[in-house]
Amino acid sequence: MTKHAFILLSHPERPGKFANPLTYAAQLDAAGHEARVYFDGAATYWFEDIEDRPAPAREAYERAKDEDLIAGVCDHCATFKGVAAAVEAEGFEIDGTEHTPDVAALADEGYEIHTV
């Protein structure tokens, strides 16, 4: 089986950029592959007004969250974009201002990295 890390960088105003990789991660996981999803850069805005996001993207997010596929949210980006409280309200920890994820570590662990 393979390992995949999806790094979401796109602004949430493009819901397909969220729904598709979240769905792909869930499909890979269901097939026995290891999949992780990280929110980075403008993607951290996803958590702001999350209830107003389009249904297909929100449903894909909720499935990925329920299946523990979301491995993290960039502390640095969430803090400096002013969305740390919204991220934490969704149950993800923001601890300081470290930029995450460490893509070199993911590559060393054998993850194929997909950026969207």
Side-chain angles (χ1 to χ4, degrees):
M1 295 295 159
T2 58
K3 295 177 165 186
H4 299 270
F6 292 87
I7 302 173
L8 305 181
L9 297 167
S10 298
H11 195 282
E13 66 191 18
R14 302 182 69 192
K17 293 273 190 169
F18 282 84
N20 291 340
L22 291 167
T23 299
Y24 302 152
Q27 290 171 344
L28 286 163
D29 181 66
H33 300 275
E34 193 169 329
R36 293 182 179 179
V37 178
Y38 296 88
F39 286 74
D40 195 6
T44 60
Y45 285 121
W46 169 262
F47 299 94
E48 187 176 61
D49 301 321
I50 196 167
E51 65 280 351
D52 296 331
R53 302 291 177 211
R58 195 174 60 252
E59 290 165 5
Y61 163 76
E62 289 169 0
R63 178 179 177 195
K65 183 179 176 189
D66 289 346
E67 294 176 8
D68 291 323
L69 300 177
I70 301 173
V73 179
C74 179
D75 292 354
H76 173 83
C77 297
T79 299
F80 288 101
K81 293 184 183 313
V83 296
V87 170
E88 290 177 332
E90 277 296 298
F92 301 102
E93 248 182 72
I94 298 298
D95 185 27
T97 58
E98 184 175 332
H99 185 77
T100 55
D102 182 341
V103 294
L106 288 170
D108 287 345
E109 293 173 26
Y111 283 89
E112 184 173 337
I113 298 169
H114 310 277
T115 57
V116 184

